[in-house]
Amino acid sequence: MGKVDVIIIGAGLSGLAAGIRLSQFGSRVRIFDKQRYAGGMNSYYRRGDRVYDVGLHAMTNYSLERSSPLSVMLRQLRIRRDELELVPQRHSRVLFVDVDLEFDNDFETFRGSVSRSFPGDLAAFDRFVARIREDDSFNPALGFESTRAVMRDAGLSVELSEMLLCPVMYYGSSWPDDMDFHQYCVLFTSMFLEGLCRPADGMESLIGVLTRRFSENGGELSLGSAVRSIELSDGRVSGVVDSSGGFHGCDVVLSCAGYPETLDLLHRQYARDMVGELGFTESLFELSRPACDFGLADSIVFYNGSSSFSYGVPAEGVELSSYVLCVPGNFPGVRESGGVPSIRMTALASPEYWKGLSGEDYKKAKTTFLRDELNILESKYPGISQAVVSSEAFTPRTIERYTGRLNGAVYGSPVKMKDGVTDIPGLLICGTDQGFLGIVGSMLSGIVVVNRHLMT
Ligand SMILES: Cc1cc2nc3c(=O)[nH]c(=O)nc-3n(C[C@H](O)[C@H](O)[C@H](O)COP(=O)(O)OP(=O)(O)OC[C@H]3O[C@@H](n4cnc5c(N)ncnc54)[C@H](O)[C@@H]3O)c2cc1C
């Protein structure tokens, strides 16, 4: 194959968005992905006549405002919003032992809930939200600022602070215990101020829109083809070698494979402390009856079993004192594959533990934790375990195997390359390790890196 302008490593959501943006302005772009399906960590798979999402809970940034990040992003990709068929959440909940905060896509619901559960905190909450709205979060020059410290400055009580950290950390912190405030602002805004939604038919339809647009623009998508190495000539990028040993020349390589993972393709080495340590398990329970029949009517539940929230690598395989539940059927308008209702459950997991187990022990450990999760569901929603018709689980090991993301660290390296530039001329990073996370975040990342560095 001939030389192209840009090679993108990874047809994850950031790589696809970057590819569309570049190709619509005439750049010759080739995307490689080691997987047969595009979508990376948020892809889908087929089994029989059913299509399963790998992990989709919700898309963020639902807001219909013309100036909202999702609207701007879709305009930049020349995709109409109705092509995505996004359906908003019904309502969701942050649930600690004896207090809960309800939210939906109207921020006043959340504020009202704070005011009822923490009346003494409302002024501090308003101050904190004002600080979030003012933050210059997308400025790549800003370094790490502790969210816990900002919460203290705003005068939030410890208990409310923990409840405000829990959902945001679960949906995007690559740091244990605390989180960069600028990143917190991006995620808080995208979840609570702009709202949650899902594509009505899951990720296949969204990814289909993206891959079609890329191909229509003349982009080349090479699925099932891994990049084995990035090649240099006179110190700058000259191309990549694919898994069959073929060389593909280009002027620029844009990688969404992760920063340490990209360094590995370049030098065969990376610093261990660049690899994210936080992992998750993701379980799927299929039901014979909808979850709301058992009292589970929320779209998403962020649960924590004590008044303080601990976010870190568990000592054992999985930590079930906190978890996230997603009920796709509680997004009115969602069409679940085969019409089968389901529940998803996400919990913090230790990559080291799961990667260290031998084949049989690995299977046993999965069975044990699925049983523990089912017991938890039964204790909260009596009768639900009888309705479970099948279950399956992904661990950090699964995620590493399928996406190449070291440790299966969903939120990537704690070292973020905020401007997307590396030390190597012609090598750029986008997606998770550029710093924007999640489905919408990673797509924005692809666009921002292209706009900033490749739209000359
Ligand atoms: C189980 C799970 C559930 C999630 N749920 C949600 C959710 O509900 N909402 C949300 O907003 N976000 C969710 N996320 C997070 C979201 O999926 C990610 O933030 C986002 O998809 C990251 O996209 P990316 O482009 O940065 O990277 P990735 O998706 O990791 O894409 C990288 C791509 O590069 C490919 N690749 C790697 N190495 C090579 C190589 N050498 N050659 C060729 N290709 C290579 C990989 O196969 C992969 O396709 C979830 C993630 C997981 C794992």
Side-chain angles (χ1 to χ4, degrees):
M1 283 200 240
K3 187 182 170 198
V4 292
D5 299 312
V6 181
I7 284 179
I8 298 179
I9 305 179
L13 292 155
S14 62
L16 289 173
I20 295 173
R21 185 79 182 137
L22 279 166
S23 56
Q24 75 196 3
F25 286 97
S27 289
R28 286 163 304 159
V29 188
R30 189 171 300 145
I31 303 183
F32 288 93
D33 202 296
K34 57 202 279 190
Q35 285 304 320
R36 284 187 301 121
Y37 293 111
M41 286 195 278
N42 230 302
S43 191
Y44 59 93
Y45 56 98
R46 291 177 198 284
R47 194 170 286 160
D49 57 357
R50 302 274 309 280
V51 180
Y52 295 88
D53 288 318
V54 169
L56 174 68
H57 277 207
M59 266 174 72
T60 54
N61 304 81
Y62 177 70
S63 168
L64 298 171
E65 296 282 324
R66 224 186 116 66
S67 59
S68 76
L70 181 59
S71 305
V72 172
M73 183 183 89
L74 292 175
R75 277 202 300 281
Q76 296 236 328
L77 298 179
R78 299 183 189 158
I79 291 173
R80 293 189 325 273
R81 190 181 260 267
D82 62 6
E83 288 180 78
L84 303 185
E85 230 191 306
L86 299 177
V87 295
Q89 65 172 322
R90 181 187 283 152
H91 49 70
S92 296
R93 201 168 300 279
V94 185
L95 178 58
F96 278 34
V97 216
D98 47 12
V99 55
D100 70 329
L101 298 175
E102 185 179 324
F103 66 98
D104 55 24
N105 289 355
D106 175 357
F107 188 66
E108 282 311 306
T109 305
F110 193 37
R111 188 173 178 277
S113 202
V114 169
S115 128
R116 276 188 300 281
S117 297
F118 295 91
D121 263 313
L122 190 60
F125 177 74
D126 287 342
R127 266 197 303 279
F128 182 62
V129 175
R131 178 81 204 272
I132 288 172
R133 288 184 193 271
E134 282 160 13
D135 192 70
D136 185 15
S137 314
F138 292 99
N139 181 346
L142 295 175
F144 184 96
E145 190 177 353
S146 157
T147 302
R148 287 190 185 276
V150 177
M151 287 174 152
R152 275 194 299 274
D153 285 353
L156 287 172
S157 67
V158 173
E159 197 176 9
L160 179 57
S161 299
E162 301 284 303
M163 292 188 83
L164 296 177
L165 280 166
C166 168
V168 179
M169 291 182 106
Y170 254 115
Y171 268 16
S173 178
S174 52
W175 299 273
D177 294 327
D178 200 349
M179 182 171 181
D180 172 32
F181 180 63
H182 309 297
Q183 192 135 21
Y184 182 93
C185 293
V186 173
L187 278 158
F188 183 96
T189 304
S190 62
M191 293 171 71
F192 296 112
L193 296 173
E194 295 176 356
L196 302 179
C197 59
R198 280 177 71 99
D201 290 305
M203 287 308 287
E204 185 189 24
S205 58
L206 170 68
I207 291 165
V209 170
L210 299 176
T211 51
R212 270 195 304 281
R213 193 54 36 92
F214 179 60
S215 303
E216 285 159 10
N217 290 351
E220 296 169 29
L221 181 56
S222 194
L223 295 176
S225 178
V227 167
R228 205 166 65 191
S229 62
I230 299 170
E231 299 297 312
L232 303 182
S233 171
D234 293 331
R236 70 164 290 129
V237 160
S238 59
V240 303
V241 173
D242 68 22
S243 42
S244 358
F247 175 78
H248 303 259
C250 65
D251 296 325
V252 172
V253 167
L254 174 57
S255 175
C256 74
Y259 186 42
E261 294 81 352
T262 303
L263 293 180
D264 195 31
L265 293 173
L266 189 66
H267 305 304
R268 299 276 159 244
Q269 62 184 25
Y270 52 85
R272 288 300 307 168
D273 60 2
M274 279 185 177
V275 179
E277 293 185 326
L278 285 164
F280 297 91
T281 53
E282 175 73 25
S283 311
L284 173 68
F285 297 96
E286 292 193 307
L287 306 172
S288 57
R289 284 163 58 198
C292 55
D293 285 4
F294 304 93
L296 178 47
D298 292 309
S299 305
I300 310 273
V301 177
F302 297 91
Y303 177 82
N304 185 54
S306 75
S307 57
S308 76
F309 172 58
S310 161
Y311 184 83
V313 183
E316 288 298 314
V318 188
E319 176 58 63
L320 291 174
S321 60
S322 73
Y323 51 82
V324 187
L325 297 179
C326 166
V327 186
N330 288 342
F331 288 72
V334 155
R335 296 180 286 266
E336 292 192 83
S337 178
V340 180
S342 64
I343 299 181
R344 292 186 164 273
M345 189 162 181
T346 305
L348 283 159
S350 156
E352 211 178 312
Y353 171 88
W354 288 101
K355 284 167 62 180
L357 293 174
S358 67
E360 264 320 297
D361 290 344
Y362 180 70
K363 274 192 203 149
K364 271 194 219 147
K366 266 174 59 162
T367 309
T368 307
F369 103 78
L370 276 169
R371 191 202 53 216
D372 293 346
E373 288 190 334
L374 205 50
N375 287 340
I376 288 175
L377 286 177
E378 179 64 25
S379 69
K380 307 279 178 214
Y381 310 102
I384 203 164
S385 62
Q386 297 303 314
V388 171
V389 290
S390 78
S391 60
E392 93 173 277
F394 302 110
T395 70
R397 177 159 152 174
T398 331
I399 297 169
E400 184 177 77
R401 176 148 47 95
Y402 283 101
T403 65
R405 185 73 57 180
L406 293 165
N407 269 347
V410 175
Y411 300 134
S413 171
V415 182
K416 299 297 181 200
M417 312 290 294
K418 283 193 174 181
D419 63 2
V421 175
T422 69
D423 292 345
I424 306 290
L427 178 61
L428 299 170
I429 298 287
C430 70
T432 302
D433 284 351
Q434 182 267 332
F436 299 166
L437 298 169
I439 296 167
V440 179
S442 54
M443 288 170 71
L444 268 177
S445 167
I447 294 172
V448 164
V449 172
V450 166
N451 288 354
R452 202 175 278 159
H453 303 295
L454 297 174
M455 299 290 276
T456 46

